[in-house]
Amino acid sequence: MYEKYYNLNAKPFRLSPDPRFLFRSKAHTKALAFLGYGLQSGEGFIVIIGGVGAGKTTLARTILSSVDKSRVLPVQLVTSQLESDDMLRLVAAALGLAHQGLQKSTLLRGIEDFLMARAREGKRVLLLVDEVQNLSRGALEELRMLSNFQYGERALLQSFLLGQNEFSSTLHSPGMEQFRQRIIAAYHLGALSETEVREYIVHRLRLCGWKEDPQIADGVFGKIFEYTAGVPRRINKFCDRLFLYGCVEEKHVIDEADVELVIEEESQEIQVTNLVSAESPKDPEGSPGGREIYNNVQALRPENAIGIDNARLQALEKKVGLLEDTIRNDRKRFQRMLMMLALSDDKDINLADMMKNLIEAGKQ
């Protein structure tokens, strides 16, 4: 929505990984060099470790987009809690092989035959495994065993592993020596520095045709760094909301006060989320109107709607009428609220926020 208002040709702060938006920070540049070397080796494991939202998947997809598809067949897995046999079935499924109800020996033979066939075509398979910190020791051992398959002197399979910080502890734990010896290249991807946060935001905006509308005050970048701790995904999420706020408020200059206002709004939503998401709130009366907010939100859930009696419906209708009066007096704020509701994946959060306003209006 704000793309049109600010004459951008695309959405600059998408959450989904996109190699086109890769920002080559100092850490990312070094990681690309290490990983490019590992990819050229054509064997073993390449490992990227980093916190949630650090940009691991974007980095991996950038590497994969650069490989020669006539020589490398990339295959991607997104893992959950897998045991050894589950890992083999998942790999077989990703390769398009039969896997349901098959014994381990049959799975291994099918995978090896597939890898041999690709090798005879002059290709090797590159297995990208995301969320690798979820894998059991047994599943990791199966990956190590798959790396043993060879065609002459050539490895048939290379694995690209992406994991959160806790995977580092797994790698350095007892019994993982053989696995560690197969790691050809590894890199830990950290957060952006304050200077890099500014460069990152400007980089993404310029890729989308930004002509300094809106203008961004110098102090904005420091506040965004403090709030997001330099984590790219958090930066994207916050900036997306900040620019939407600027659009709704028809602002062509974004300053520190705007950042503080959006931070405050997010903080209030988090508080309401904690109240609504709790199955049994420990102390809903602990904040003003807490029990009433919770009860009203729960009553509006579809599964509970049948149980609302007429008196309760009349009370809610009265409060809705009061909310309409509030809307007339504060049109822009409510407009922004509705836009957030439309864009959010978590409808309950925004419904709770709307109910909170409704209840406050009813008390006036």
Side-chain angles (χ1 to χ4, degrees):
M1 176 180 178
Y2 62 80
E3 303 97 280
K4 182 176 180 180
Y5 184 75
Y6 291 124
N7 296 311
L8 302 175
N9 55 41
K11 191 172 183 177
F13 301 110
R14 296 172 61 90
L15 294 181
S16 56
D18 188 340
R20 294 177 302 166
F21 286 92
L22 177 70
F23 172 67
R24 293 178 180 266
S25 68
K26 182 177 180 180
H28 284 77
T29 301
K30 186 179 291 186
L32 285 170
F34 273 91
L35 300 174
Y37 166 78
L39 195 61
Q40 289 178 0
S41 71
E43 61 181 351
F45 298 106
I46 304 171
V47 180
I48 302 179
I49 296 174
V52 176
K56 301 183 295 297
T57 304
T58 300
L59 194 63
R61 290 186 179 180
T62 300
I63 288 287
L64 292 180
S65 67
S66 69
V67 302
D68 183 355
K69 299 300 192 300
S70 66
R71 300 180 58 187
V72 178
L73 174 63
V75 178
Q76 184 171 0
L77 305 181
V78 178
T79 71
S80 55
Q81 299 288 343
L82 296 178
E83 297 300 329
S84 57
D85 287 356
D86 295 325
M87 170 55 73
L88 292 178
R89 295 184 196 285
L90 192 59
V91 171
L95 297 176
L97 305 176
H99 58 281
Q100 294 289 353
L102 299 181
Q103 295 182 349
K104 179 177 179 179
S105 59
T106 305
L107 289 169
L108 286 170
R109 185 167 60 251
I111 293 171
E112 183 176 19
D113 289 346
F114 178 91
L115 297 177
M116 289 289 291
R118 301 292 78 75
R120 286 191 287 269
E121 296 171 356
K123 296 182 179 181
R124 78 171 187 274
V125 176
L126 178 62
L127 186 65
L128 175 62
V129 186
D130 207 349
E131 303 295 346
V132 71
Q133 76 280 351
N134 292 330
L135 297 180
S136 67
R137 294 288 187 88
L140 291 172
E141 179 62 16
E142 292 299 339
L143 282 179
R144 187 186 72 82
M145 295 300 294
L146 290 178
S147 71
N148 289 332
F149 289 147
Q150 288 189 306
Y151 180 64
E153 298 298 319
R154 294 169 49 195
L156 297 179
L157 179 70
Q158 185 175 33
S159 296
F160 206 150
L161 310 181
L162 309 179
Q164 295 179 22
N165 291 328
E166 54 264 36
F167 185 58
S168 180
S169 299
T170 301
L171 286 178
H172 291 88
S173 60
M176 294 296 292
E177 177 64 24
Q178 287 186 312
F179 192 95
R180 289 196 300 271
Q181 290 177 1
R182 297 296 179 94
I183 297 176
I184 303 299
Y187 196 81
H188 183 275
L189 198 59
L192 303 178
S193 67
E194 183 172 351
T195 299
E196 287 174 334
V197 166
R198 180 191 187 108
E199 295 170 350
Y200 175 84
I201 293 171
V202 171
H203 165 76
R204 295 186 74 103
L205 285 170
R206 286 180 175 164
L207 283 176
C208 296
W210 179 58
K211 305 299 183 185
E212 298 194 15
D213 180 22
Q215 297 179 33
I216 304 175
D218 288 339
V220 164
F221 300 102
K223 287 187 174 297
I224 293 175
F225 169 73
E226 291 175 4
Y227 184 64
T228 64
V231 178
R233 187 182 300 164
R234 294 181 61 186
I235 295 171
N236 289 354
K237 182 175 180 291
F238 182 79
C239 285
D240 191 56
R241 179 157 184 166
L242 179 64
F243 272 66
L244 177 60
Y245 163 79
C247 168
V248 172
E249 295 295 330
E250 300 178 357
K251 298 179 70 70
H252 292 279
V253 176
I254 292 178
D255 58 24
E256 297 95 319
D258 299 319
V259 174
E260 290 174 355
L261 187 148
V262 175
I263 289 174
E264 177 62 24
E265 285 188 348
E266 285 200 345
S267 299
Q268 290 177 356
E269 288 184 3
I270 290 172
Q271 292 173 6
V272 175
T273 302
N274 292 337
L275 173 64
V276 174
S277 61
E279 294 182 1
S280 300
K282 294 180 181 178
D283 185 16
E285 294 88 354
S287 58
R291 168 57 71 180
E292 189 173 4
I293 295 171
Y294 181 81
N295 287 342
N296 279 282
V297 170
Q298 294 300 317
L300 287 180
R301 293 181 183 274
E303 62 269 26
N304 296 330
I306 296 175
I308 303 177
D309 57 29
N310 289 333
R312 190 168 183 78
L313 281 173
Q314 291 174 0
L316 288 173
E317 287 172 356
K318 180 179 179 181
K319 290 181 178 180
V320 169
L322 292 171
L323 179 58
E324 289 174 348
D325 293 336
T326 302
I327 294 169
R328 296 188 187 96
N329 296 329
D330 197 359
R331 179 183 61 82
K332 285 186 178 180
R333 185 170 184 274
F334 190 75
Q335 182 183 15
R336 185 164 73 251
M337 187 188 304
L338 291 180
M339 289 177 180
M340 294 304 177
L341 176 61
L343 293 175
S344 175
D345 292 331
D346 193 341
K347 306 303 181 187
D348 286 340
I349 294 175
N350 295 277
L351 178 59
D353 198 19
M354 293 172 70
M355 285 299 306
K356 182 178 180 180
N357 282 272
L358 183 152
I359 292 166
E360 290 175 352
K363 293 179 177 178
Q364 293 177 354

